[in-house]
Amino acid sequence: MSQSHDLNRRGFLAGASALTLAGGAAHAQAAFPTRPITLVVPFAAGGSTDIVARLVGQKMTELLGQSVVIENRGGAGGNVGSTAVARATPDGYTILMGTISTHALNPAILKTVTFDAVKDFTPISLLALVPNVMVVHPSFPAKTVKEVLEVLRANPGKYSYASSGVGTPLHLSGELFKSLGKVEMNHVPYRGAGPALNDVVSGAVPIMFDNLPSSAQFIRGGQLRAIGVTTKERVSSFPELPTIAEGGLGGYETYTWNALFGPAKMPADIVARLNKAANDALKDANVKKRLNDVSAEIVGSTPEALGEHVKVELAKWAPIAKASGAVVE
């Protein structure tokens, strides 16, 4: 065999090997995910964010062919879990169920800022907008917004309200109610909406501003009495329930939202894969029905639209959060 022929053969084999490796790499990249994905919920189990995560995550598991495992990492109003995702490897295997709290309120009230809501995350999809609701234990002596205001004014500082943590939307919902209604209530913060809700259902704390999805079953079951929804308009799942504004507290409005984020600098193709799976999950008939049952408004956005949404929310809520005086250590 001549030297030139041998060199040509070696060149051919080297080229074929390179093509094989390149093809293998492309195949591996296209095959994402090849192992389970961890979806961090930065609050305790049982709250609205947890409910949305489990509904969407279960369907994403079917669509992606790999388990989407929910990991509840509560603490500091969602800051603990969010920080963990911000610092994770940006390979798509650790993602976050972010909220108005993690990406609009915390940046304004954290004593020590451990992440940048815009720069430290990759937006994936805005999933849903969620109304809040004011609920009371059935033993509380009021059934309407006006009656609640009368009771609180007649008993300043006697009653307390529970929330999912200092600086969360549920906390600020209560502070806004106090401010507009010129009433006094004691704030009792918990490590998530689930534990707070349990104490209100048991009667340990009489009042709570909660996300409607997590309170809906208790309202329908009679364990909680709904006073009013916090949105501008009534919701389809409880059409007879007035808004707090129309119930007697003009100008009152709060809400929350749920969205998927990854760490900064995630590859575009992985973001696209997760975005498609999340948005397709929202189109599933069962997922749509269950979210509609609790009046969550389904969105399903592009990554770019979620990125813009976060910037708008930061500008809107930062002044309100700071005015509340809330500080998360």
Side-chain angles (χ1 to χ4, degrees):
M1 183 182 292
S2 69
Q3 186 177 19
S4 61
H5 180 79
D6 187 49
L7 288 173
N8 287 338
R9 182 172 178 276
R10 288 178 187 173
F12 173 78
L13 291 175
S17 178
L19 287 172
T20 300
L21 288 172
H27 176 75
Q29 192 173 40
F32 173 87
T34 58
R35 54 187 171 88
I37 295 168
T38 297
L39 172 53
V40 175
V41 175
F43 303 100
S48 170
T49 302
D50 186 62
I51 290 173
V52 174
R54 291 179 189 279
L55 270 176
V56 175
Q58 182 177 7
K59 191 62 186 179
M60 286 180 69
T61 291
E62 298 175 20
L63 294 169
L64 292 170
Q66 290 287 343
S67 297
V68 175
V69 181
I70 307 301
E71 180 181 326
N72 296 92
R73 296 189 66 173
N79 185 50
V80 173
S82 300
T83 301
V85 174
R87 295 174 179 172
T89 303
D91 56 7
Y93 289 101
T94 303
I95 56 178
L96 174 73
M97 181 62 78
T99 69
I100 187 174
S101 180
T102 61
H103 281 70
L105 302 182
N106 280 358
I109 62 177
L110 289 173
K111 189 172 183 179
T112 302
V113 179
T114 54
F115 61 81
D116 185 301
V118 176
K119 296 179 181 178
D120 290 342
F121 294 92
T122 299
I124 297 173
S125 177
L126 176 61
L127 303 178
L129 302 179
V130 183
N132 298 331
V133 61
M134 183 182 191
V135 292
V136 299
H137 187 267
S139 64
F140 187 76
K143 295 182 179 180
T144 66
V145 173
K146 288 183 178 179
E147 290 177 357
V148 170
L149 291 171
E150 289 171 0
V151 169
L152 295 178
R153 286 168 183 158
N155 303 275
K158 177 181 177 180
Y159 293 100
S160 300
Y161 75 96
S163 86
S164 52
V166 174
T168 63
L170 306 184
H171 172 208
L172 297 183
S173 292
E175 292 303 302
L176 185 61
F177 188 90
K178 286 167 58 178
S179 176
L180 293 178
K182 296 178 173 58
V183 295
E184 293 181 28
M185 290 187 291
N186 301 310
H187 176 223
V188 183
Y190 288 76
R191 287 178 60 84
L197 191 59
N198 288 338
D199 270 11
V200 178
V201 170
S202 72
V205 182
I207 304 168
M208 183 175 179
F209 293 82
D210 188 29
N211 301 138
L212 185 54
S214 50
S215 278
Q217 61 175 320
F218 297 107
I219 294 170
R220 293 193 175 102
Q223 296 103 314
L224 292 176
R225 178 186 300 138
I227 300 297
V229 290
T230 66
T231 43
K232 281 186 178 179
E233 300 178 356
R234 296 192 182 198
V235 298
S236 59
S237 57
F238 292 90
E240 74 290 348
L241 188 61
T243 67
I244 289 178
E246 70 177 302
L249 202 57
Y252 188 94
E253 181 193 12
T254 67
Y255 54 84
T256 189
W257 45 264
N258 296 114
L260 290 181
F261 297 88
K265 300 180 180 179
M266 275 177 53
D269 58 332
I270 291 178
V271 175
R273 180 86 167 107
L274 291 170
N275 174 270
K276 185 178 188 311
N279 290 348
D280 285 349
L282 293 173
K283 296 173 185 175
D284 177 74
N286 180 57
V287 173
K288 287 175 66 174
K289 180 182 183 305
R290 293 189 63 184
L291 289 175
N292 287 332
D293 282 348
V294 291
S295 295
E297 180 186 340
I298 297 171
V299 182
S301 76
T302 63
E304 294 76 17
L306 173 56
E308 286 304 310
H309 175 78
V310 169
K311 293 175 183 177
V312 170
E313 289 288 273
L314 279 165
K316 175 180 179 178
W317 285 100
I320 299 173
K322 288 177 179 177
S324 74
V327 176
V328 176
E329 296 294 334

